[in-house]
Amino acid sequence: MGLNDPQWGKRRGNSGPPDLEEVLRDFNQKISKFFGQKGGGGDGGSDGGNPEGPSAKGIVVIIFLLLIAWIGSGFYIVDEGHRGVVLRFGKHTETTLPGLRWHIPSPIESVEDVNIGKVRTVEIGYRNNVRSKVLKESLILTDDENIVDIQFAVQYILNSPDNFLFTNRNPEDTVLQVAETAIREVIGNSKMDFVLYEGREEVAAKTTQLMQDILDYYRTGIAINRVTMQNAQPPEQVQAAFDDAVKANQDRERQVNEGEAYANDVIPRAQGVAARLLEEASGYRQKVIASAEGDASRFEQVLVEYAKAPRVTRDRMYIDTVQQVLSNTSKILIDQEKGGGNLLYLPLDKLIQSDPGSGITRSSSGTANQQNETRSFSSDIGSRSRDSLRSREREVR
Amino acid sequence: MKSISSVLTGLLLVIGIVGSSAIFIVDQREQALVFQLGEVVGVKTEPGLYLKIPFIQNVRFFDSRILTMDSEEPERFITSEKKNVLVDLFVKWRIIDVKQYYVSVQGDETLAQVRLAQTINSSIRDEFGNRTVHDVVSGERDEIMKIMRQKANRDAEKIGVRVIDVRLKRVDLPQEVSESVYRRMEAERKRVANELRSTGAAEAEKIRADADRQHEVILAEAYRDAQKVMGEGDARATAIYAEAFQKDEKFYEFYRSLDAYKKSFKSEKDILVVEPNSEFFKYMKSSSLDQEK
């Protein structure tokens, strides 16, 4: 109010804050003018000349100021996400929304500020950090009489500021109590494996529901946002055994995988071998048929010519063959008829030695003398000689 | 003038003092008893502004909200199978009859809680004594709480209190029993682990054996098919040979033999010991052309 006064602070220039007395005096003047006191406002009122006038006026002014200050103290601001709960003589009259508000000042009305937007948290089974467990909260008996170690976080907001304020003493403690009882009830109704593994979300959902029901029953004005299972484990004392069971599961899978790896190695390999066998067989079939056809055709062609001159052809072929045979082999020609029954010494061992490991065939020619034993023998044919044999074969062709 | 104002001020002051002791406010969270020289003359359960006679009447306030009795330490109870369980619970209650409440427990909250605790303890003992641990923990938890609430309420009425709810917070096994539970859990896991491992080994073995079987079967079948194919080839070849060679069996014999000779003796390492008697050498002995005849 004084701020709008053009005189404000100007009188004394800028030598500090205006003297209260002077301001009052100034104000008195205005007041008296306002109340229609004639003229006197000009000079008379401003002086302390008349002792009665100013003191009475002063009291009025002070009362007026106090009244304004009192009325002014009724203003309050409700922040976004908050609610103002107004009590008139202790009785709840209204709940105000965010913005600038006014209530009949104290002691008639008072306002309590309640933050309903803030998400509040309660931790069960731990404090601040999941590692700092509170064992007496976190160890819970399950339906199958096992014990699990569980940490929960409950997030909630207030949905009814007046219920929150007026129905329960320490409603925030109630959340913790309710959370504990709800969790234990839900877990007490579930099997351990369900809690630890597949049922985690369901447990949280059921707990949320149960908590909300209980809190509504107490009319706490609290709404549960989320119940999250921070951690669900077997207790430390049996952790090792549980880990081992998990490991065993891994082992099982590993073993199965190894078995499958073996199968995946062996079967395709066998299929490969089988395919090769079949291919080879079909190759063989084609080969034998082709060579049979070839042989047959060759024979038939020769036969045609042979039929034209059998004798000559026969002789020629015979001589050709023997020539070819003899020219390719070492030979010893012996005329035994002269020697009669004499045994002929042939240093076969030496011949063999000169070519060790080679096969030796001794035979008399087709029309051999009866005296001659016809023997053939073969020694083991080493791989080397077989190779050499083959190379020679190639040369011959 | 001065005296008038000072008298006025004094009067105001007195009115203020008397007035302030003549009014009292009951908060939304409270209810009040008005005593007149020790006698209860008024019960104010509704919040608001009230008047009283200064100096003669005085007022006591009581909480009208729901209060909590939370046991500090869990207590031991015995179940029907003679097992000890530690039970921790909380009770929600509120004062419904302030006068009764004041008369029976002097308005002392702790005293009221002790009263409630006694009632509830005995009802827990009754309920737990008839039930197994399993019933207490899961099966009939809700029912037990309901029964306890009803029982507690019967007694609570006598002290002007209503029990809103009795809830079991924790039902735990005592330390030594917990240990045996842990041992059992451990053994069970061990069983599961062993089972998993051995079924794993069995499965792996099955897969391997099956693979080996398939391996053998595939190879055997392939051998069978291959032999079949080869047999077909052989048969066909034989037929071809037979057809061709039938045309002149004698010549075939001769022809084939020559071929065999050629193939049999073709290395210099083959040593032939021959007599000149053979037909090949017939001209080596004599050059007569008519030898044949």
Side-chain angles (χ1 to χ4, degrees), chain B residues 54 68 83 86-87 150 217 262 272:
Chain B
T68 309
K83 275 189 191 170
L86 292 173
V87 180
Q150 285 162 0
V217 168
K262 267 188 243 173
L272 285 176

Side-chain angles (χ1 to χ4, degrees), chain B residues 34-70:
Chain B
V34 182
F35 293 89
Q36 185 170 325
L37 304 170
E39 181 198 0
V40 177
V41 291
V43 179
K44 309 290 178 201
T45 51
E46 282 299 305
L49 186 69
Y50 294 99
L51 291 172
K52 68 178 173 83
I53 306 164
F55 313 117
I56 294 168
Q57 290 187 337
N58 64 321
V59 183
R60 278 193 68 165
F61 298 96
F62 300 93
D63 212 318
S64 66
R65 293 175 292 185
I66 296 175
L67 307 177
T68 309
M69 184 187 89
D70 195 353

